[in-house]
Amino acid sequence: MRAWVDLAGALALALLGLTLTAQVGQAQTSDLVSKTSLRVCADPANSPMSNRDGTGYENALAELIGDKLDLPVTYTWYPMATGFIRNTLKAKKCDLVVGYAQGHELVLNTNHYLTSAFVLIVPEDGPLAAVEGLADDRLKGLRLGVIAGSPPATHMARNGLIGKAKPYHLVVDRRHENPAIDMLDDLKAGEIDGAVIWGPIGGPLVKSGYPGMKVIPLLNETLPPKMFYRITMGVRNGEKVWQRKLNSLIRRHQDEIDALLAEAGVPLISDLGDEVIEVTQ
């Protein structure tokens, strides 16, 4: 009889533990995520990706996701700089960051929905329009714009291009400064000969406001650091149910996502970073 009592007690404790674990898991993966709106964490002045006026392509992606979930989109705005995740996602003011690099420990990444690369932007009718990589001799002695501290800067230094390069700030409050637009304005004015920039920023900016420019994905840089990256959506660490729901949505609607990105001017490349993907619009 005593053995049965001990066994029954152990089973009761185990069941209690399972119940508590399930409740904690549900709180981590479900209860914190709003069921009445798609709460998005975003930079209010991160053109061309997100804007308070809703014109960025990440705004359009958020609307697509909200439509598939049958939820209205609401925003918590905060500059994409130090403290962004801490003051938005981790503070439980919102439930989703639309664009986040794969593998970043601050968030739980969904499956990637975008692979892109750094690009070289030059006048399409100029002598650099046929350049395909930073080792091209036609770039020697020219002044290229580059975001300071970004991966292309290392490749430029390796190829002897950094001495005359014009650096632009990496981390800024884009409500007051936009290095990408500054760089393209300088290219348009002839102050630099080419702009080396992250494709999902440079491509849409060229399409929307810099006609006559050519966007060249830099796919021939074989040495580190790598020049292509996979972009995911970010949720709070531990929210596996929410992550799986978004993974399913991305998988089922990837064609629509690709079309939206291509329409915005984002250069899409293969997951291995070795070829440009053409999307029929």
Side-chain angles (χ1 to χ4, degrees), residues 92-272:
K92 304 177 182 64
K93 296 179 180 179
C94 44
D95 304 314
L96 178 68
V97 180
V98 174
Y100 221 79
Q102 188 180 59
H104 205 294
E105 64 184 13
L106 288 179
V107 304
L108 177 63
N109 296 103
T110 66
N111 293 340
H112 69 279
Y113 63 86
L114 161 65
T115 304
S116 194
F118 283 89
V119 299
L120 171 66
I121 300 174
V122 296
E124 62 184 5
D125 58 356
L128 303 181
V131 169
E132 294 182 351
L134 295 175
D136 195 301
D137 287 340
R138 284 170 287 193
L139 298 176
K140 302 295 184 184
L142 300 183
R143 193 178 197 200
L144 302 179
V146 64
I147 301 297
S150 64
T154 300
H155 292 273
M156 289 171 62
R158 184 182 291 125
N159 288 289
L161 303 174
I162 207 67
K164 295 188 68 174
K166 181 174 181 178
Y168 296 79
H169 294 148
L170 174 63
V171 179
V172 299
D173 184 339
R174 287 176 174 79
R175 293 172 298 180
H176 308 292
E177 180 181 357
N178 193 313
I181 291 177
D182 292 343
M183 194 188 308
L184 291 176
D185 284 345
D186 286 348
L187 177 60
K188 183 178 179 180
E191 295 184 17
I192 56 176
D193 300 295
V196 182
I197 195 169
W198 175 231
I201 295 176
L205 287 177
V206 166
K207 184 168 184 177
S208 64
Y210 296 86
M213 297 294 175
K214 183 177 181 180
V215 178
I216 305 168
L218 295 171
L219 306 184
N220 297 323
E221 316 305 322
T222 57
L223 296 175
K226 70 177 183 178
M227 295 277 275
F228 72 95
Y229 293 88
R230 297 168 183 170
I231 302 302
T232 72
M233 298 177 193
V235 301
R236 278 180 290 273
N237 284 308
E239 293 184 337
K240 300 292 292 184
V241 170
W242 180 218
Q243 178 204 42
R244 287 194 293 268
K245 191 171 190 176
L246 291 167
N247 284 344
S248 176
L249 187 151
I250 292 168
R251 183 178 63 254
R252 288 182 286 114
H253 302 288
Q254 186 67 62
D255 288 347
E256 292 176 71
I257 294 172
D258 287 348
L260 187 155
L261 293 170
E263 174 62 26
V266 176
L268 304 178
I269 67 172
S270 64
D271 286 348
L272 296 178

Side-chain angles (χ1 to χ4, degrees), residues 42-52 55-59 75 77:
D43 190 317
N46 197 18
S47 178
M49 293 179 287
S50 65
N51 283 289
R52 190 182 293 272
T55 58
Y57 65 81
E58 287 186 357
N59 297 111
Y75 284 96
W77 301 108

